[in-house]
Amino acid sequence: MSEIASNRKAPRDYHILETYEAGLELRGTEVKSIRQGHMNLSDAFARVERGQVWLYNLDVQAYDKANGFTQHEPRRTRRLLLHKREILKLFVLTQQKGNSLPVLQAYWKNGKVKMEIGVGKGKTKGDQREDLKEKAVKREAQRVVASFNQRARE
């Protein structure tokens, strides 16, 4: 499993409740473009519509060696491949107020592109500030422990 891209803003903006692995329905030029590393999923999110899960705002740049007829649209809506019971569960979870489906990361698995999507509940500004405070406290505690261990070795 090698990572292609990750959404670093998702953990900052959402409390991730559950994660799911989904396949991604792609065209040939999209796969070649992804292999070159031309994928951006910072604004990508999923939505359950008509019994299917659709991926929006995934930016896969055009493959430079393809001609105009075989080229894909960079921000087209793509279908995510999940089991029916997973789709039904996601539909129920997204009907609850405040829940959404942000994309967390994309990676290769057995030669296929997989997406990790999460069921996320949006954070408020206060929640984000508390997370920053907790990170600062943990960082300071690690510094103190490291300096203590350094002195103990001497």
Side-chain angles (χ1 to χ4, degrees):
M1 183 174 92
S2 63
E3 186 175 303
I4 300 169
S6 63
N7 185 355
R8 294 172 48 198
K9 292 195 301 187
R12 182 192 72 194
D13 296 337
Y14 298 97
H15 293 288
I16 304 299
L17 308 174
E18 294 181 45
T19 60
Y20 292 90
E21 179 183 73
L24 186 60
E25 188 177 72
L26 295 170
R27 296 190 178 136
T29 56
E30 291 175 326
V31 175
K32 291 180 179 189
S33 182
I34 290 171
R35 285 194 189 280
Q36 290 182 341
H38 299 298
M39 176 191 262
N40 181 11
L41 47 88
S42 63
D43 297 329
F45 65 95
R47 194 180 284 165
V48 181
E49 296 172 351
R50 303 182 306 276
Q52 297 287 331
V53 180
W54 297 94
L55 186 63
Y56 294 91
N57 290 344
L58 176 67
D59 188 20
V60 178
Q61 292 301 311
Y63 182 57
D64 54 351
K65 294 179 182 161
N67 62 22
F69 294 110
T70 59
Q71 197 60 265
H72 65 274
E73 186 180 326
R75 283 193 174 257
R76 74 176 182 91
T77 303
R78 296 165 177 90
R79 187 166 64 131
L80 289 175
L81 307 171
L82 290 156
H83 292 285
K84 192 67 171 177
R85 66 180 178 276
E86 291 176 329
I87 294 171
L88 292 173
K89 190 170 182 184
L90 287 174
F91 178 73
V92 169
L93 288 171
T94 55
Q95 293 303 307
Q96 297 172 5
K97 185 175 171 127
N99 285 355
S100 60
L101 300 173
V103 176
L104 304 175
Q105 68 176 342
Y107 52 90
W108 292 102
K109 184 176 179 184
N110 299 329
K112 300 194 177 9
V113 177
K114 300 290 182 175
M115 305 295 272
E116 184 178 21
I117 59 172
V119 178
K121 191 163 196 76
K123 287 184 181 179
T124 63
K125 291 289 184 191
D127 293 339
Q128 291 176 359
R129 286 186 190 118
E130 285 183 29
D131 287 349
L132 288 173
K133 288 176 188 175
E134 287 176 19
K135 280 184 185 178
V137 168
K138 284 182 184 178
R139 204 175 316 125
E140 187 60 34
Q142 287 175 346
R143 281 189 196 132
V144 169
V145 169
S147 66
F148 178 77
N149 288 339
Q150 182 116 17
R151 281 189 237 132
R153 284 188 221 152
E154 294 173 351

